[in-house]
Each structure stands twice: as structure tokens, then as C-alpha cells.
Amino acid sequence: MKFYLRPTKAYKQEVDTLNLFAFENEEQIVFRDFPAEIITDFKEAIKKENFNGKKGDNLVISGRGPVSFYKLILTGLGKKQEFDLVTLYDQIAKSIRLSLSNKAVKVALSVPAFFLDKYGSAVAVQATVEAVKLAGYKFLKYKGDEEKAKHRDVEEVILLLPAAKIAAAEEGIEAGLLFADAALYTRDLVNEPAQVTTPEFLAEEARKIAKNSQGAVKTTVLEEEEIKNRKMEAFMGVARGSHQPPRFILMHYKPLRPRKKIALLGKGITFDTGGLSLKGPEHMETMKLDMAGAAAVLGVFSVIAKIKPQAEIVGIIAACENMPGGRALKPGDILKAYNGKTIEVLNTDAEGRLTLADAMSYAALREKPDEMIDLATLTGACVVALGEDIAGLFGNNDRLLLNLEKSAAATADRVWRLPLEKSYQHLIKSHIADVKNISGGRYGGAITAALFLNEFTGEIPWVHLDIAGPAFAEKDTPLAPAGGTGYGVRLLLNYLKSV
Ligand code: BES
Ligand code: ZN
Ligand code: ZN
């Protein structure tokens, strides 16, 4: 997909669709630069179809008179005073979906002046490029040629904006392409079935990323013997129920003069059956998604050499399957994590926190970063609390929490802060070990899971994103078809760029 920037003269674009946007009750304004003699025609159509710029309203009109485009697609943005970046991403995505259903290959899209003024040209154009690319994504690898041909993506996108804004917008195109490519790569990894994305497969992806980075990224993979030798008993406990051998994946990126060191950790359960605390079939159906945190970390590293953040970054993935094999972990078993704390395992389906306990301890004790961020499809409880679109945000450091909230707002990867509630600490206290891996009660499961992880931070500034909801869409959304969403990749990239 190619993007071009051009100064406005919307009606003169030789494209399949011209995509314009209107705020509520301002639908007439979009024709500003159309010649007077053709404007009336379009305005009439708008009136007849009762289009008035309400959020989500669309109108497709055939080109008429001396215009050069084939069809006009109008998309409503809703009330101007309620406008935010989530609206921008969603409505651009919807507009592009309409272009696709109208078989468009070449599209001109007018970036509304309001976006450019509110967010600056670079940010507005970056978001536009991301939305266009994310909206066109389909996972067609396992479909036949006919289906593949049917879902042709847009090939050329002309972004129309005032001449004075074009120079600053170039940067936005470049960043938008990188951010979107990284998120789409993560979607692919999550959408692949678990028979493909084994722990060794993820390790091989990490090696490939290093190979393609011209020396900027170094990957080290620890295999089973080494994981055992290093006494990552909690991680091995989960891994040993499966025939697939586990992999402990480390990725390093280091600029010349790093401002700080950041560890990114991703839950990498390549399939979660629940183990002996076996899930029911309806809950197991989508559990290939349980490596979405790991996939997001790989997504970030796939473009890190080009983004060139000013921080040293270490990516850590403890990858394994959670299976109920003959050697599987049993409820009641006690494991010693890498930091020496003992864990009573009462439910083998609360496995992500066990693998993360070792990954986080390893990060804190061996890598000694200035801050750690983990992404994990950790609890169904978080989805109950916040729904499918919003990640739970926990942490022990206000500054880091605030910065991630800022990046979330800038990328429309939504988060909501939940408490690391100390008065619930007793819920994960074990009679026989230091902690237990479930609370036993029915409530507050996202919080008790975060409290459990908090035992393994080594008191390093840390943020935990429970992405069980937004990592995977059960139904089509404007920005992503059903399946992996690439959640977290753009949020992290935005944050890393800001340090
Ligand atoms: N991978 C699941 C969490 C999950 C649920 C992710 C739904 C995405 C969608 C996790 O390993 C799990 O099974 N958690 C249990 C914890 C419970 C046993 C304390 C859960 O949420 O039910
Ligand atoms: Zn589980
Ligand atoms: Zn899981």
C-alpha cells in the first residue's frame, strides 16, 4: 500500500473513491473546495438521504458532473466537542471499509482540518495511515485463491491536506506505516493456530527479527535444559504438561546512549487448555490467543531498529503450552519461583501468572531494568470488568502509569486503571507456601492476579496490562476483523518513542 500527500482539490482526484468526513450538522462544509456548479448536486443528495454527520452515518454517492472520482464516500464524525482519537481511528476505518466494499483500489482521503489543528499534522496523518492499514487487514492464509482475490486491499491512498501542512505530515506517514506493520504482524501471529505458533516457532520469529535488524536486535533463546538449570520452576511447572518443549526468549536492543532500560514482558502461553483444571470447550475455543502478549512484544521488536527509541529495551517471553499431560502440574503442587518465593498451585488454569512470575523475577534480578511493562491475556475477570475493548492497567509507580495512559490515549489502544488493592493481599496468602495462585473467592480476579504478579517485581517500577479482552476480537470491529487485534503494539511503540 502506497501513501501520497497532496494539497487539496478533492474533486479533481482520479480515484475510485473520494472519502470525506463531516461533523454533525456541518455536512455542507466538506464541499468547500468544489466548484459552485457541481456543489448543488451533491448537497441535494445529502439532503435526500438525510445525512447529517451523525457518528457512524455513511453516504455513498456516484460522481457526477465534471468531477474525477468515481464515488464519493461521506462519513459522519458526530459532535465536534465529543471528538477524540478513538472516533478518528474508528470512522476512518469505517470509511475505508466502505471503499473496499465498493471495490476501490485507489482512494483519496481528505484529512479534516480539525484533526490537523487538534493533534498536529504528523500525529493526525500517522493515525490516519494506521487506521487505513488496520482496516484493510484480513487473515487469508488458509483461504483459497478465489477468496484471496475477492479481498483485495486498497493499493494507493492519496491524503489530501493543505499545502502548508504537508512537510510535517511526511513524518506521520513513515511512523504510521511502521506502527501499523508491527500491529499487523502481531495479528498474524495471534491468528495462526496453536499447531503452528509453538514455543519454538515464537523463538524462531525472535531469531528472524534479530537477523533482519542489521545488528540492532540480539536474540537469545534458552531451551528446556537451560531453563531447568536456571531454576525457573514456576515456568517449568506449567510447561511440563506438554510435549512441546518450552522456550525462554530474550531480545535486546541498545542504542548508543540509552536514557534508561525498559523490560517488556509478554505472556506466551501458545495454547491454554487450563491444564488438569481443564477448561470447558467453549472457553478453550479461542485459547490460541493466550500468546497475544508475547506476540505484541515480538511486534514491537520487529520495527524497533527503525523506530530507534532512546532507551535500552529487553523483551522477555516465557513461551510454553498449558496441557494436561501425564507429567502435568497438579492442584496442590508447590513451586519455587526464580526469586525464591514459593507458590501453591491450586488451579492449573491460572498458569500465566506462574510463567510471568519467573519471567519478571528474571528481569528484575538479572536484567535490572529501570522499569518493566508486562502484557498478558491474564484473566477472564478483567474482560467481565472492562469489556472486550479496554485493557486493565495496574502498576506500582504513578509516573509510569500516567505515561502509559498518555500513550493509550494517543493510539486509541484503550486502558483503564484498576487498583493494586493491598487490603486484598490476604486473598492470595497460602497456608503452606508464600502465595497461592488463585484467590479462592469469586470476585476481583483481575486484581488478585495483579497482586500475585506484584510479588515478583523486585520493587522495580512496573506496569501490568491485562489484555484478555482487547487482544482478540470475537466479532468484527471497525479497526480489525474477528481475531487478533494487535492490541498493545502501537501503545508500546508510542511510549518507547517518548522516552
Ligand atoms: N488465558 C486465561 C485468561 C483469558 C480468559 C484470556 C478469557 C482471554 C479470554 C487465563 O490463563 C485463565 O484461564 N485465567 C483464569 C484464572 C482463574 C483460574 C483464577 C480465568 O480467568 O478464569
Ligand atoms: Zn488459564
Ligand atoms: Zn492463560
Side-chain angles (χ1 to χ4, degrees), residues 196-492:
V196 175
T197 49
T198 58
E200 169 56 21
F201 182 93
L202 295 184
E204 193 51 33
E205 290 298 301
R207 292 185 198 107
K208 271 192 214 155
I209 287 169
K211 212 173 283 163
N212 295 333
S213 73
Q214 273 140 354
V217 175
K218 298 210 164 41
T219 293
T220 317
V221 177
L222 308 185
E223 305 204 343
E224 196 164 354
E225 274 316 298
E226 193 60 28
I227 297 167
K228 280 184 190 157
N229 288 341
R230 303 225 187 174
K231 301 213 165 6
M232 297 192 200
E233 221 179 77
F235 175 33
M236 270 316 299
V238 178
R240 71 184 192 223
S242 168
H243 288 290
Q244 288 291 345
R247 294 288 183 264
F248 193 79
I249 305 164
L250 288 158
M251 283 177 283
H252 278 97
Y253 161 85
K254 191 172 184 177
L256 221 47
R257 273 178 293 279
R259 299 212 176 111
K260 57 172 136 174
K261 181 169 178 180
I262 303 173
L264 301 179
L265 301 100
K267 173 174 170 181
I269 300 296
T270 60
F271 195 79
D272 183 10
T273 66
L276 286 176
S277 312
L278 198 64
K279 286 181 184 296
E282 59 297 355
H283 290 120
M284 212 189 287
E285 226 173 75
T286 56
M287 279 304 135
K288 66 174 184 182
L289 66 74
D290 219 15
M291 38 60 85
V297 172
L298 287 166
V300 167
F301 271 86
S302 73
V303 295
I304 215 164
K306 290 185 178 135
I307 303 268
K308 299 188 179 70
Q310 296 297 303
E312 179 179 357
I313 301 159
V314 45
I316 303 182
I317 297 165
C320 70
E321 274 184 347
N322 186 23
M323 297 285 282
R327 287 194 293 174
L329 202 53
K330 293 172 282 292
D333 283 356
I334 296 172
L335 304 170
K336 187 183 253 180
Y338 188 79
N339 71 348
K341 286 195 185 175
T342 54
I343 306 166
E344 182 188 13
V345 178
L346 288 175
N347 188 320
T348 62
D349 197 9
E351 82 298 337
R353 63 196 78 179
L354 299 176
T355 60
L356 280 166
D358 275 345
M360 287 172 57
S361 304
Y362 182 93
L365 295 167
R366 295 292 298 269
E367 295 291 340
K368 301 187 176 61
D370 299 301
E371 48 197 52
M372 318 204 267
I373 304 170
D374 81 78
L375 289 91
T377 47
L378 205 62
T379 67
C382 199
V383 194
V384 173
L386 299 175
E388 270 202 280
D389 294 341
I390 305 173
L393 175 70
F394 298 86
N396 59 7
N397 181 284
D398 268 331
R399 187 189 44 81
L400 188 55
L401 282 162
L402 259 172
N403 285 334
L404 283 165
E405 280 171 333
K406 271 190 210 154
S407 290
T411 53
D413 268 350
R414 275 168 283 178
V415 301
W416 194 257
R417 218 191 268 204
L418 295 173
L420 209 53
E421 180 58 50
K422 290 288 149 54
S423 67
Y424 290 172
Q425 189 68 31
H426 69 277
L427 294 171
I428 56 164
K429 213 171 132 81
S430 162
H431 295 301
I432 187 168
D434 294 329
V435 280
K436 56 182 183 182
N437 80 329
I438 52 164
S439 82
R442 269 165 25 97
Y443 307 120
I447 297 174
T448 45
L451 284 171
F452 180 92
L453 295 183
N454 190 38
E455 296 291 311
F456 304 92
T457 61
E459 285 174 33
I460 287 169
W462 157 74
V463 151
H464 158 58
L465 284 157
D466 192 331
I467 62 170
F472 196 88
E474 304 254 348
K475 295 191 219 86
D476 290 356
T477 65
L479 231 42
T485 60
Y487 180 92
V489 173
R490 293 179 304 107
L491 189 165
L492 286 179

